Amino acid sequence: MKIDRRKFLAGFSACVGGGAVGSMLSPLPWKVMDDVAIWTQNWPWTPVPQDGRYSYVQSVCALCPGGCGISVRKVKSRAVKIEGLKDHPAGNGGLCPLGLSGLQYLYGPARVKSPLKRVGKRGEGKWQPISWDAAISEVSQKLNELRARNKPHSLAWISGENKGILAGLIDRFLKVYGSPNVLRDSTAHDAIDQAAYHTQGQRGTVFWDIENADFILSFGAGLMDGGWPLARMNGFPKSADGGKTLIQVEARLSDTAAKADLWVAANPGTEGVLALGIAHVMIRELIYNIDFINRQASGFEDGVMGGDQVLQGFKSMVLEKYKPEKVSGITGVPVDAIFDIARRFAKSDKAVAVCGRGHGRVAGCMDEALAVHYLNALKGNIHQPGGVFVVADPDYVRFPEPGMDKIAEYGLGQTRVDGAQSEKFPNSRYLLHRLPEIINTADGDSPVQALLVSGANPLYTIPDGKSVKKSFDKIPFIASFSPFMDETAVYSDVILPDHTYLECYRDIVSQGSMDGIVVSLAKPVVRPLYNTSHLGDVIIQIAKALGGYIETAFAWKSYESLLEETFADNWETITSSGYIRMNPQIPGTVATSFNTPSKKFEFNINAGAPEAPFSSAFEKIAMEGDAQNYPLTLIPYDSIRLAGNYPANPPFMTKIIDDTVLKKTHGCIEINPATAKQLRLSEGDAVKLSTPRGEADVQIHLYEGVMPGVIALPRGLGHTAYSEEWGLYGKGVNVNDLMGPIEDPVSGFNMAWGIRAKLTKI
Amino acid sequence: MKESATHETARRYGMVIDLDKCTGCGACMVSCYAENNVPFKKDESNKLDSINWIRVVKMTNQKPYPDTQICYLPMPCMQCDGVGKHGHSPCVSVCPAVATDYDFTTGIVSQIYTRCFGCRYCMAACPYHARKFNWWDPVWPADMEKYLSPNVSPRMRGVVEKCSFCFHRYQLARDKAYQEERAELEENEYQPACVEACPVKAMTFGDLNNPAHAVYELKNHKHAFRLLERLETNPKVYYISSKEWVRRNGDNYLPDEAPGRLKSKAKARH
Amino acid sequence: METPLIPPGVKRCPTWQFALWMAAVGAVLLWGVYAMILVWWKGLNQTNMNDAYGFALWIWADLAVIALGGGAFFTGFLTYIIGKDKLKGIINYAVIIGFICYSSALLILAIDIGQPLRGWFIFWHANVHSMLTEVAFCLSCYFGVLTIEFIPLILENPRLAAKPFLHHLSHNMHEIMAVFAATGVFLSFFHQGSLGGVAGVLFGRPFAYREGIFIWPWTFFLFTWSAAACGPCFTILVTWITEKITGKKLVQQDVIGLLAKIAGWMLITYIIAKSIDTLYWALVTAPGMGFTLMDFYTDHPIYNIGILFAEIVLCGFLPALILITRRGRENGFLLILSVLLAVLGCSINRWVMVLQVMAVPVFSFESWFLYSPSWQEVATTILPVAYGVILISLAHRYLPVFPQEKELNPAN
Ligand SMILES: Nc1nc2c(c(=O)[nH]1)N[C@H]1C(S)=C(S)[C@@H](COP(=O)(O)OP(=O)(O)OC[C@H]3O[C@@H](n4cnc5c(=O)[nH]c(N)nc54)[C@H](O)[C@@H]3O)O[C@H]1N2
Ligand SMILES: Nc1nc2c(c(=O)[nH]1)N[C@H]1C(S)=C(S)[C@@H](COP(=O)(O)OP(=O)(O)OC[C@H]3O[C@@H](n4cnc5c(=O)[nH]c(N)nc54)[C@H](O)[C@@H]3O)O[C@H]1N2
Ligand code: SF4
Ligand code: SF4
Ligand code: SF4
Ligand code: SF4
Ligand code: SF4
Ligand SMILES: [Mo]
């Protein structure tokens, strides 16, 4: 039979058709269908987490100074969830979103997995993995060279480690090496602490006893915005079952202002003046703590200085210069509101006035810090429960006095590169924000020849990013100890990656309560994932490589042995309960503790004494830029959903940012609808934001809660490092880049709270 | 919607969220991500395709500066009992494949990812936007798969997911109680991850039917309300706010109506 | 000699012209197929749907084609059950259009679901309470029925009919077609209703929710009714378009007139019922949930109150009144205008019941949810149109679709 095309096709079709019908009657297609459905439920690219034995490791969160207790759930060797640790004094089971995201840092794509040496241009991101020995010798060679050139003081270390053993090791290292240049970021508390020093003569950390207070008058402190560990805001916010009264003074309706009993929308930069207006009312109406002022304060009444020269006291100065009508004109707060706040503050049982804008990232103005502190004195709450304490720093880190060679002694004798602790700014320990300008304007070589960075990300956080970068370009050697590829690590020459806080032991100091400062022990929750090394051990290694007195000063076997040695008798307690307490506060010890010449609380105003810290000409904190070209005022704001500092937002935190803050890659700028209308701007418009320091593209977000004429940008966006997969890369604007520092004349601290700005439609 | 033989609801787990306390910190959201293996993408700024089992919504009173007020509204799945509390919740009643179901022993609305075939009818039915679709395959970059919890299976592309009131925690607590030959769970034995994480303790969780549990009393607070109560979805998540505008935002009212004054059918039932 | 492929006695365009036409439409089809494959391969992230907009463009297309495909069941009902024999002149075409609409609907559903390989769970794990379950069962069954109704027509292709077996098969199938038509009518009544129920039962969506009887919201009945009214209008419209393209009269005007008249009466009764429903919803149901009518409309180019006016008056009462008057029907322009308006009205109704349901905010603090489809969605929505055009072209060329064609075009 001849099989032509037609017949073939017919036969073929019959076979196919018959086959199809036949197989439909067999179990085959049904089985295949089922198998296919099962396959969709077990796609090989959808992970199936392995089960195993569960365990919990109790440790502490080190992602901010809060030091909240954590309990980490593990399945076999994997850490799967960070939860709050019940009964820990910091947090008591609650955690902020940052602390809850901790495992994303640990396992995330931004980790530096081994020591790296730069091979491309700086910042290009080309690296070559090297051994730890090689990395340590990179650093030690450079440091040896500086000493050989008799320039040990040209080494600087920017450190985030503030208190505890690591901070002690860094201080000691620079000391025996011969550099005075340990640099740390200053925060609002540096100014507040200095205010306490000027008035009380005590050095230490100011502690506002929020726990025991029933009335908090906050001048812009971001109590609910992550400025303070939320978990410790007991009795906050007020609810049906009671709570503390909170008055929030702020130009923008922050989350703290939203939770306050009363939101006082003062013009930004005038909060301190409002405090003085309140002081005026308290004095005028005799509702201040007369007993405290009479017996334990000096400088309140006018005094006589030799001859017939009268030294004006705080009382007459405030009565004369800060009349509510005038204060109202400056602050925009109605006169009767000033009276009302003053009376409520004065009449509350345990009231405390606090300050520090937002997270308190900017140290701020001494006049303002003093004004607020004066209010507390008028309330007479100094060293009283629910008031203000000055807490001595913990002193458990005590190393034997090291021996030092000539070079070190020479180096230590040189002035600090940032001008802190100098004649001009004797009371300020660190002035990191001055560094870029000093390097950029130095004649000849940079005064910093080598820079070490740990626990900090200065390329992101120091104001005026352009000049920071320029100054870094002049530093011949930069080494980073960051566990993450942050902006500064990317811009360094060598990276010697630290463990994360979940992979090692570390002592963490947090404020605690009147019962004392809490020192907690971070424990290795998991074994180090990558080829990283504890910063403490690395310092010891570098010291060893440098030899001589330096080596001798670091004769410890390892950080861990040092840790155990440091806690000595407390080691048992801190390993079993996870924390110890130090320096409990004894209320009412005022008389014995003031350390001023008068042994009293000193209202130290400069009406007659030019060296006094408070300027009675204070009306508003200065701001950069002219109103002509820059009609608007830009203020940065802090949010609990944004880690504005170090380290950067993990993906979970970025996920909870509202779409009115970040939209795709565009950062949103908050503007009052009335102001927007004047500028013919509407929601979602793309605009160029310009300040005297820089410009950036942003997107308009209309927000009734921001003062007309003021525009607000969040801190914590505009990152250019970490990893693309981290979800933060190239998103929004780093507001630090748009602002310059403004120096406080007394402390040298940065007090820039805003900058003049303009918006132009693109 | 298989109904239990006895037709009684042994337990009705629910939540009372004090909006006066909530600061909008978002810890509940993050805790839920970590507890329930919720994935993330590089861009999460489109909130309409971002998977969240609990969303903290920012509401304002729309008044001009400085009379503006904010209130944060945390919204997990409301675990609706539905009309007449018969488990006829908006979503369960519509799912064609019984991939979401009402559990009569706890009142919890389940979601079975491997059963769901992604028709999204339940999403259309849920007025609370509690249901989220997996538009993409989940990806955990670097070593991030290592933090995934075995208690909750990661979801695949093409299915819907939502808050389960951390049902696995209930199962673990229940299994433990069984082993110890106890029939009842203590209030603190079963608490969802978000509730546990809330730093200001704005959320309270427990059995709404059990007078020994805090939620039993709290739900009758004079300022307690539920979202969209008038739709008769019968949510098991209650809110408390001292602010009238907030309570008004929780439902829809005609101009002459006001929350509290309204005697709706739903109100009478709860 | 070979039996010809083209039915005897009718004139068809030359092969090259036909091939060109098919190539053009085929290109569109391929574009759609490409988009479809993208969606299957990469997932629904290829669309612009989102969690607030879980149902979007192609679900509207799905509901719309099913409603318009309703011409098949209703014409079938009239022809075989009521016994309007005159309609035999158009029933074949109505069945083909229905077949296209329903197969398209099923295809869209297969594209629409996030887990197509598990689609059969809807049957296997069926939830009898779900309107979608009802839809899936009835839709699939009715598609089966339509296929059975279509087969004899296919078998009438001269070359196929030349095979004795196929010829007899076809003949026997014709004999029992009334049974299938009846089944189809029943199924169709149901699933058109179920589709209406899909939105109507959403008691969490005040814009969609309707009260009703037993488990059925009023939309259940309104959907069936509107499909019965507008489906035939669509059949008329497509017939008219086919006639324009082929340049031939294919169906006698009195057949069209009869169908138009019936459709007109269906439409007027439907639109009255719809108006009552709307009034009850606006005055009773929605206010009970705290909504006024105007809460459901905004100053959006689509979602303003004009859409309600367009649906009910412009595309409801107006065409209905034209169609029920003899003079209106007999005016060629008015007839086509009114069937077009009716088709539009029905499409607007389905749009509103799918897309506006998603767009209207339920919370007072939410804003409107707006969405615009991605090209993949547009392409996959156009895909069935191209497929329909191809199927119609093939059917018209090779099958004796229009029994009156020969007598109406005697010149050949
Ligand atoms: N040298 C050095 N200085 C630094 C830094 C550094 O790394 N090194 N880091 C800077 C950075 S980034 C930070 S975060 C800060 C850290 O230093 P601080 O911001 O001073 O942080 P804490 O030490 O936690 O104390 C915060 C202050 O808030 C108050 N406070 C905190 N918690 C409570 C509480 O629970 N109750 C009450 N009533 N009051 C409380 C207390 O007055 C306390 O002094 O230091 C900054 N300054
Ligand atoms: N939610 C919330 N967020 C906050 C705050 C808050 O209270 N709550 N506080 C805010 C305030 S006031 C500030 S100033 C910022 C401070 O935020 P950060 O700038 O992050 O605080 P640091 O002072 O640097 O404290 C972090 C410390 O932990 C150590 N650390 C943590 N992880 C690692 C690691 O993996 N490797 C190494 N080497 N060290 C590590 C660092 O050495 C450093 O000493 O946080 C802010 N963010
Ligand atoms: S407040 Fe600070 S210490 Fe506490 S969990 Fe958050 S980041 Fe960690
Ligand atoms: S909130 Fe939505 S998803 Fe949750 S039970 Fe109610 S309808 Fe279902
Ligand atoms: S999307 Fe899944 S859970 Fe939702 S209705 Fe469809 S099958 Fe059910
Ligand atoms: S109850 Fe559990 S699943 Fe639901 S939102 Fe809270 S943490 Fe997530
Ligand atoms: S964790 Fe608590 S305070 Fe924070 S957003 Fe959630 S409910 Fe509100
Ligand atoms: Mo800080």
Side-chain angles (χ1 to χ4, degrees):
Chain A
M1 183 177 83
K2 188 168 154 252
I3 299 182
D4 62 10
R5 191 175 67 99
R6 192 167 306 277
K7 281 209 176 104
F8 172 78
L9 280 179
F12 182 75
S13 314
C15 289
V16 169
V21 173
S23 57
M24 289 306 274
L25 298 174
S26 80
L28 184 70
W30 313 105
K31 171 83 177 116
V32 167
M33 240 162 76
D34 196 39
D35 282 352
V36 161
I38 290 170
W39 172 71
T40 67
Q41 300 168 0
N42 297 284
W43 276 336
W45 58 88
T46 309
V48 181
Q50 274 201 0
D51 212 343
R53 219 177 65 83
Y54 286 66
S55 61
Y56 291 83
V57 181
Q58 303 192 341
S59 186
V60 57
C61 176
L63 294 171
C64 94
C68 303
I70 58 173
S71 167
V72 186
R73 192 196 310 157
K74 288 181 67 180
V75 177
K76 288 199 203 151
S77 62
R78 300 188 293 125
V80 300
K81 172 103 194 273
I82 296 181
E83 287 170 348
L85 181 58
K86 294 210 174 73
D87 302 324
H88 189 278
N92 189 23
L95 290 181
C96 82
L98 182 62
L100 287 163
S101 309
L103 296 180
Q104 296 202 308
Y105 291 112
L106 176 66
Y107 293 117
R111 288 290 301 269
V112 179
K113 298 186 179 172
S114 77
L116 297 177
K117 184 178 153 76
R118 171 170 70 83
V119 287
K121 282 202 298 257
R122 247 199 208 157
E124 202 183 3
K126 288 198 181 140
W127 301 98
Q128 184 193 345
I130 54 174
S131 71
W132 271 103
D133 285 345
I136 287 182
S137 85
E138 288 280 335
V139 177
S140 57
Q141 267 175 24
K142 182 69 197 179
L143 299 196
N144 262 330
E145 178 207 313
L146 290 185
R147 279 170 64 89
R149 282 162 51 200
N150 204 26
K151 279 185 171 290
H153 54 287
S154 70
L155 169 68
W157 191 319
I158 299 179
S159 145
E161 290 75 17
N162 188 2
K163 292 162 186 159
I165 295 173
L166 266 181
L169 285 180
I170 293 167
D171 290 346
R172 183 180 181 83
F173 180 83
L174 260 74
K175 187 172 175 181
V176 293
Y177 177 83
S179 170
N181 292 316
V182 180
L183 294 158
R184 291 184 170 117
D185 210 351
S186 310
T187 70
H189 281 288
D190 292 65
I192 294 155
D193 295 350
Q194 206 172 118
Y197 174 73
H198 284 302
T199 52
Q200 301 175 206
Q202 294 161 304
R203 289 217 187 261
T205 304
V206 167
F207 164 61
W208 290 306
D209 187 17
I210 303 274
E211 279 81 353
N212 294 305
D214 58 9
F215 186 102
I216 294 95
L217 175 55
S218 158
F219 292 88
L223 302 173
M224 313 289 163
D225 291 86
W228 290 1
L230 250 195
R232 296 165 67 189
M233 297 288 112
N234 294 324
F236 262 134
K238 205 176 212 167
S239 72
D241 41 272
K244 302 169 196 296
T245 299
L246 169 65
I247 293 185
Q248 181 76 0
V249 181
E250 208 171 358
R252 174 183 171 272
L253 179 61
S254 65
D255 290 349
T256 310
K259 289 286 114 180
D261 293 76
L262 177 68
W263 167 38
V264 182
N267 292 328
T270 69
E271 294 87 344
V273 176
L274 180 64
L276 294 164
I278 293 169
H280 177 105
V281 175
M282 287 173 77
I283 294 171
R284 193 159 100 186
E285 301 197 341
L286 294 176
I287 49 175
Y288 64 94
N289 189 326
I290 297 169
D291 185 55
F292 174 82
I293 297 295
N294 284 350
R295 298 201 317 185
Q296 300 183 13
S298 94
F300 186 72
E301 304 288 348
D302 295 349
V304 184
M305 252 183 130
D308 47 335
Q309 196 193 349
V310 174
L311 183 68
Q312 192 179 30
F314 182 74
K315 178 174 151 186
S316 60
M317 185 276 293
V318 167
L319 288 177
E320 179 192 318
K321 297 215 163 104
Y322 296 98
K323 295 203 172 72
E325 295 70 27
K326 182 180 166 198
V327 168
S328 173
I330 297 170
T331 60
V333 178
V335 173
D336 47 349
I338 300 176
F339 275 93
D340 179 51
I341 299 164
R343 290 172 190 152
R344 286 173 72 183
F345 178 70
K347 301 214 168 114
S348 294
D349 192 18
K350 291 187 186 122
V352 65
V354 306
C355 63
R357 285 182 171 70
H359 291 177
R361 291 245 163 67
V362 173
C365 164
M366 284 310 300
D367 287 333
E368 185 181 274
L370 280 159
V372 172
H373 199 55
Y374 291 150
L375 264 190
N376 283 318
L378 287 180
K379 180 68 196 165
N381 67 12
I382 311 293
H383 279 230
Q384 296 296 335
V388 185
F389 294 83
V390 178
V391 182
D393 284 338
D395 60 349
Y396 65 94
V397 183
R398 266 162 291 178
F399 301 136
E401 198 51 41
M404 301 211 299
D405 58 19
K406 282 252 156 43
I407 305 175
E409 272 166 11
Y410 164 77
L412 270 188
Q414 305 302 305
T415 52
R416 281 175 60 93
V417 64
D418 62 351
Q421 298 166 32
S422 63
E423 240 171 74
K424 196 169 170 205
F425 305 119
N427 295 306
S428 304
R429 294 185 303 167
Y430 315 106
L431 294 170
L432 178 58
H433 66 92
R434 300 179 88 235
L435 189 66
E437 168 111 31
I438 288 168
I439 294 178
N440 288 335
T441 56
D443 302 328
D445 282 351
S446 159
V448 175
Q449 287 293 307
L451 176 67
L452 307 180
V453 184
S454 67
N457 186 8
L459 258 186
Y460 177 82
T461 55
I462 304 182
D464 198 0
K466 256 185 291 184
S467 76
V468 183
K469 201 154 216 170
K470 195 170 141 200
S471 69
F472 273 44
D473 282 335
K474 298 193 170 169
I475 303 175
F477 180 79
I478 302 174
S480 164
F481 299 100
S482 175
F484 310 111
M485 258 308 170
D486 56 37
E487 281 79 358
T488 312
V490 168
Y491 218 66
S492 59
D493 304 306
V494 204
I495 309 177
L496 300 87
D498 197 356
H499 299 319
T500 64
Y501 69 106
L502 296 165
E503 297 166 304
C504 63
Y505 282 106
R506 190 159 295 185
D507 55 323
I508 306 286
V509 183
S510 54
Q511 187 68 45
S513 64
M514 266 179 54
D515 298 336
I517 293 170
V518 175
V519 180
S520 316
L521 184 67
K523 294 179 206 138
V525 171
V526 295
R527 282 227 299 265
L529 259 64
Y530 309 113
N531 184 16
T532 55
S533 194
H534 196 293
L535 177 57
D537 288 326
V538 173
I539 295 174
I540 294 172
Q541 293 300 314
I542 295 174
K544 219 169 238 146
L546 290 173
Y549 281 112
I550 306 179
E551 180 175 11
T552 322
F554 287 84
W556 298 286
K557 207 170 93 230
S558 68
Y559 172 83
E560 258 180 69
S561 62
L562 167 61
L563 186 71
E564 208 174 321
E565 194 179 297
T566 303
F567 285 103
D569 296 345
N570 281 325
W571 182 245
E572 272 291 292
T573 324
I574 201 167
T575 42
S576 58
S577 72
Y579 67 95
I580 52 172
R581 283 188 185 275
M582 292 178 176
N583 307 359
Q585 297 305 299
I586 303 147
T589 53
V590 190
T592 52
S593 53
F594 289 149
N595 202 15
T596 51
S598 62
K599 298 289 169 208
K600 289 186 172 180
F601 183 99
E602 292 188 348
F603 284 93
N604 211 338
I605 61 171
N606 84 344
E611 74 283 5
F614 182 82
S615 153
S616 53
F618 173 53
E619 289 202 342
K620 186 178 174 167
I621 311 173
M623 178 170 49
E624 185 178 347
D626 61 304
Q628 205 84 60
N629 289 317
Y630 299 100
L632 301 169
T633 301
L634 169 70
I635 56 169
Y637 72 89
D638 292 319
S639 156
I640 188 146
R641 299 185 185 188
L642 274 163
N645 222 358
Y646 167 89
N649 250 26
F652 279 165
M653 289 255 288
T654 306
K655 187 165 164 134
I656 62 172
I657 301 175
D658 275 335
D659 57 356
T660 52
V661 174
L662 180 69
K663 192 78 201 159
K664 292 218 165 80
T665 57
H666 304 291
C668 302
I669 189 148
E670 290 179 356
I671 182 169
N672 190 285
T675 313
K677 204 171 165 196
Q678 283 170 7
L679 300 171
R680 295 210 184 78
L681 296 171
S682 37
E683 182 71 30
D685 280 354
V687 287
K688 184 181 290 305
L689 164 64
S690 329
T691 72
R693 296 280 174 154
E695 42 180 52
D697 291 347
V698 291
Q699 193 171 312
I700 291 291
H701 171 54
L702 302 182
Y703 180 44
E704 295 281 7
V706 67
M707 182 177 270
V710 173
I711 50 178
L713 262 189
R715 282 206 184 85
L717 292 174
H719 276 281
T720 53
Y722 291 85
S723 129
E724 281 225 44
E725 291 157 307
W726 192 244
L728 201 58
Y729 185 89
K731 289 186 183 169
V733 178
N734 180 2
V735 67
N736 296 323
D737 290 348
L738 298 175
M739 295 184 52
I742 295 190
E743 206 162 281
D744 181 274
V746 171
S747 64
F749 289 146
N750 177 18
M751 59 175 187
W753 55 272
I755 189 165
R756 291 217 151 267
K758 73 171 170 213
L759 294 175
T760 19
K761 203 162 174 174
I762 312 177
Chain B
M1 286 206 296
K2 296 175 288 288
E3 292 179 14
S4 68
T6 58
H7 219 291
E8 66 170 316
T9 303
R11 299 179 196 83
R12 272 178 73 237
Y13 281 105
M15 228 181 245
V16 182
I17 304 179
D18 188 336
L19 300 181
D20 289 347
K21 280 190 189 167
C22 171
T23 65
C25 72
C28 46
M29 293 193 260
V30 173
S31 184
C32 180
Y33 302 155
E35 179 77 18
N36 293 296
N37 297 335
V38 175
F40 61 90
K41 313 189 292 307
K42 271 189 218 167
D43 178 16
E44 291 278 2
S45 70
N46 179 358
K47 299 302 171 189
L48 296 178
D49 65 20
S50 166
I51 299 181
N52 284 282
W53 292 11
I54 176 168
R55 293 165 302 135
V56 180
V57 174
K58 185 177 184 171
M59 307 187 293
T60 77
N61 66 348
Q62 308 282 357
K63 295 231 176 99
Y65 189 93
D67 297 320
T68 323
Q69 290 184 9
I70 298 173
C71 180
Y72 285 99
L73 181 71
M75 292 173 67
C77 166
M78 303 286 140
Q79 312 292 347
C80 307
D81 285 340
V83 183
K85 293 189 192 164
H86 297 311
H88 185 79
S89 30
C91 53
V92 169
S93 56
V94 301
C95 174
V98 204
T100 179
D101 205 359
Y102 185 88
D103 174 34
F104 279 88
T105 61
T106 55
I108 294 174
V109 174
S110 65
Q111 179 68 22
I112 310 159
Y113 320 118
T114 49
R115 171 75 65 81
C116 170
F117 65 90
C119 68
R120 307 180 306 290
Y121 191 14
C122 52
M123 288 168 58
C126 170
Y128 303 99
H129 303 294
R131 299 185 153 266
K132 301 282 158 181
F133 188 71
N134 282 272
W135 301 100
W136 285 268
D137 278 309
V139 179
W140 286 270
D143 281 326
M144 282 165 134
E145 279 186 12
K146 287 195 180 143
Y147 72 57
L148 295 178
S149 157
N151 287 329
V152 183
S153 49
R155 282 70 66 186
M156 58 293 292
R157 185 182 89 196
V159 304
V160 163
E161 60 184 79
K162 69 160 193 82
C163 156
S164 65
F165 265 4
C166 292
F167 195 74
H168 60 283
R169 289 189 170 214
Y170 169 74
Q171 288 172 312
L172 291 171
R174 189 196 53 194
D175 291 352
K176 185 159 167 277
Y178 282 164
Q179 271 171 14
E180 295 165 6
E181 301 188 337
R182 286 180 292 126
E184 286 303 315
L185 293 182
E186 294 299 318
E187 187 176 10
N188 64 2
E189 275 186 296
Y190 165 39
Q191 291 289 319
C194 53
V195 174
E196 224 170 54
C198 176
V200 295
K201 310 270 176 281
M203 308 163 119
T204 315
F205 182 84
D207 179 1
L208 298 167
N209 284 350
N210 187 339
H213 287 197
V215 289
Y216 187 84
E217 280 302 319
L218 278 173
K219 71 172 191 294
N220 296 323
H221 190 280
K222 70 171 174 195
H223 290 322
F225 65 101
R226 296 180 292 174
L227 298 179
L228 304 176
E229 216 162 40
R230 304 180 76 178
L231 302 186
E232 294 203 66
T233 48
N234 255 313
K236 285 196 289 291
V237 176
Y238 290 74
Y239 296 89
I240 295 177
S241 172
S242 57
K243 291 179 176 147
E244 155 102 21
W245 72 265
V246 171
R247 298 198 297 273
R248 196 176 174 93
N249 264 9
D251 212 330
N252 294 284
Y253 298 95
L254 302 178
D256 59 337
E257 294 172 339
R261 279 202 274 123
L262 203 69
K263 290 270 170 290
S264 76
K265 290 179 280 180
K267 194 83 185 172
R269 275 198 195 116
H270 96 104
Chain C
M1 200 198 97
E2 280 272 8
T3 326
L5 259 173
I6 291 173
V10 295
K11 188 167 182 284
R12 293 292 179 258
C13 67
T15 309
W16 67 264
Q17 203 177 357
F18 185 72
L20 215 61
W21 164 252
M22 291 301 270
V25 187
V28 178
L29 182 92
L30 282 179
W31 179 54
V33 168
Y34 172 61
M36 178 179 82
I37 289 169
L38 271 184
V39 171
W40 272 334
W41 185 253
K42 296 192 171 177
L44 291 177
N45 53 55
Q46 298 294 299
T47 72
N48 278 351
M49 284 193 275
N50 57 46
D51 294 338
Y53 244 105
F55 290 162
L57 184 71
W58 63 45
I59 289 294
W60 160 72
D62 200 78
L63 264 70
V65 295
I66 290 175
L68 301 174
F73 93 88
F74 194 64
T75 317
F77 170 74
L78 295 170
T79 317
Y80 297 109
I81 311 228
I82 304 287
K84 297 270 176 203
D85 274 350
K86 195 186 256 182
L87 294 180
K88 287 203 166 140
I90 199 165
I91 183 70
N92 284 347
Y93 206 36
V95 164
I96 292 175
I97 295 170
F99 179 87
I100 291 167
C101 288
Y102 278 79
S103 50
S104 301
L106 285 172
L107 178 70
I108 291 176
L109 287 180
I111 303 170
D112 172 70
I113 56 180
Q115 286 281 355
L117 298 175
R118 296 182 202 167
W120 50 279
F121 284 13
I122 201 169
F123 304 109
W124 196 250
H125 302 289
N127 170 14
V128 293
H129 298 265
S130 173
M131 284 293 160
L132 213 53
T133 307
E134 222 173 279
V135 170
F137 272 90
C138 297
L139 207 65
S140 316
C141 293
Y142 184 53
F143 175 65
V145 169
L146 276 173
T147 312
I148 291 169
E149 289 186 58
F150 191 18
I151 286 174
L153 185 63
I154 298 174
L155 299 181
E156 277 175 28
N157 172 277
R159 198 170 291 169
L160 293 176
K163 322 265 181 226
F165 169 72
L166 295 181
H167 178 73
H168 286 112
L169 180 64
S170 154
H171 180 75
N172 288 327
M173 283 180 85
H174 269 300
E175 294 291 292
I176 53 163
M177 205 40 72
V179 178
F180 284 107
T183 317
V185 166
F186 172 77
L187 288 170
S188 204
F189 265 116
F190 243 93
H191 80 248
Q192 294 286 358
S194 310
L195 278 171
V198 164
V201 295
L202 300 179
F203 61 97
R205 296 280 189 169
F207 179 77
Y209 178 63
R210 294 296 189 283
E211 288 160 64
I213 44 169
F214 303 121
I215 58 162
W216 295 295
W218 296 127
T219 45
F220 183 96
F221 307 99
L222 289 173
F223 265 50
T224 305
W225 208 328
S226 59
C230 304
C233 293
F234 186 64
T235 312
I236 294 172
L237 184 67
V238 175
T239 307
W240 178 78
I241 293 170
T242 315
E243 287 179 343
K244 287 293 148 203
I245 291 178
T246 55
K248 283 179 298 202
K249 190 82 191 120
L250 297 170
V251 178
Q252 266 169 5
Q253 200 54 31
D254 60 338
V255 174
I256 301 278
L258 175 62
L259 196 56
K261 179 174 161 192
I262 296 170
W265 283 104
M266 290 304 291
L267 191 57
I268 191 80
T269 47
Y270 160 72
I271 208 69
I272 289 167
K274 168 77 191 169
S275 303
I276 295 169
D277 167 75
T278 306
L279 281 173
Y280 185 81
W281 161 75
L283 298 176
V284 182
T285 314
M289 297 170 154
F291 289 84
T292 63
L293 178 66
M294 289 316 289
D295 287 339
F296 298 128
Y297 299 92
T298 182
D299 55 355
H300 181 267
I302 296 175
Y303 299 122
N304 59 63
I305 189 75
I307 196 169
L308 186 64
F309 176 81
E311 181 193 340
I312 292 187
V313 181
L314 204 60
C315 302
F317 280 107
L318 181 65
L321 291 173
I322 297 175
L323 289 177
I324 57 173
T325 45
R326 175 186 291 269
R327 279 187 37 214
R329 283 198 303 276
E330 287 180 353
N331 176 317
F333 170 74
L334 283 181
L335 174 75
I336 293 309
L337 176 73
S338 47
V339 294
L340 181 68
L341 285 177
V343 164
L344 269 177
C346 185
S347 305
I348 292 177
N349 174 263
R350 298 315 194 251
W351 177 283
V352 160
M353 291 310 275
V354 173
L355 285 125
Q356 196 170 349
V357 171
M358 302 290 123
V360 176
V362 181
F363 281 101
S364 60
F365 55 84
E366 283 174 337
S367 34
W368 279 67
F369 297 97
L370 298 173
Y371 137 96
S372 54
S374 69
W375 74 261
Q376 291 92 327
E377 283 173 273
V378 175
T380 29
T381 305
I382 290 176
L383 164 65
V385 178
Y387 151 78
V389 171
I390 289 178
L391 212 65
I392 285 176
S393 307
L394 287 171
H396 171 257
R397 189 174 176 85
Y398 296 115
L399 306 178
V401 175
F402 300 100
Q404 296 161 340
E405 183 181 357
K406 249 193 286 186
E407 95 195 57
L408 285 169
N409 301 279
N412 311 305

